[in-house]
């Protein structure tokens, strides 16, 4: 797999809401494909769910970074990261379907892990049990720390510089 072009982050703004909705909707395609709803019903459901999630994230993680991911100047995803005293908590990471599989998610995650390592912190994320990216998290060294009906709590322990060099 070739390296993706430079990845940059920029703060999401209100002008990005249509893009952020598209990114969110792209994470629900497989799930909604199984439902016998009309396209209009699916769209209405997605709008409602996105709106609720957007409000919830901003209310509960007011001091988090809500970033648009850009690759070669084009928006390709979102990364919502809450830098806590004890950990870096990935609230949400999502790549548009047409940009998945290009190494963008791997690059984002390794950047977050590197930043957390420098601060001596773990990286935590809740991953849906049926999420295909679960294999990516495991490959990058995330381990299951908790389990609910729908999610795993995954953590990547902090690495010291010596551990990073031998990994």
């Amino acid at each position: 797999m070739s390296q993706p072009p430079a990845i940059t982050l920029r703060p999401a703004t209100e002008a990005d809401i249509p893009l952020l909705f598209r990114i969110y909707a792209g994470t629900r395609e497989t799930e909604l494909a199984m439902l016998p709803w009309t396209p209009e019903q699916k769209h209405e459901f997605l709008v409602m769910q996105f709106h609720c999630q957007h409000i919830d994230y901003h209310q509960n993680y007011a001091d988090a970074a809500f970033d648009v991911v850009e690759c070669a100047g084009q928006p390709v995803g979102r990364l919502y990261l809450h830098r806590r005293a004890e950990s870096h908590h990935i609230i949400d990471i999502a790549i548009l379907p047409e940009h998945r599989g290009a190494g963008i998610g791997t690059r984002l995650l390794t950047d977050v892990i590197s930043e957390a390592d420098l601060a001596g912190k773990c990286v935590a994320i809740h991953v849906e049990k049926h999420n295909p990216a679960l294999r990516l998290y495991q490959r990058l060294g995330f381990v299951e720390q908790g389990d609910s009906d729908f999610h795993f709590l995954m953590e990547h322990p902090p690495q010291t510089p010596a551990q990073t060099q031998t990994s």
Side-chain angles (χ1 to χ4, degrees), residues 8-12 57 60-69 78-93 107-125:
T8 57
L9 301 176
R10 65 168 174 80
Y57 283 171
N60 289 304
Y61 304 100
D63 58 341
F66 296 95
D67 291 321
V68 170
V69 178
R78 69 182 188 180
L79 174 64
Y80 297 168
L81 183 62
H82 190 211
R83 292 170 175 91
R84 303 174 179 179
E86 72 283 355
S87 68
H88 280 22
H89 175 70
I90 299 171
I91 303 164
D92 195 88
I93 181 173
R107 175 84 62 86
L108 286 169
L109 289 167
T110 56
D111 288 352
V112 170
I113 290 167
S114 295
E115 178 186 319
D117 285 348
L118 288 173
K121 298 177 183 181
C122 73
V123 178
I125 185 169

Side-chain angles (χ1 to χ4, degrees), residues 2-22:
S2 64
Q3 289 285 39
I7 295 172
T8 57
L9 301 176
R10 65 168 174 80
T13 67
E14 287 299 312
D16 291 311
I17 294 294
L19 167 68
L20 297 172
F21 172 75
R22 256 186 51 227

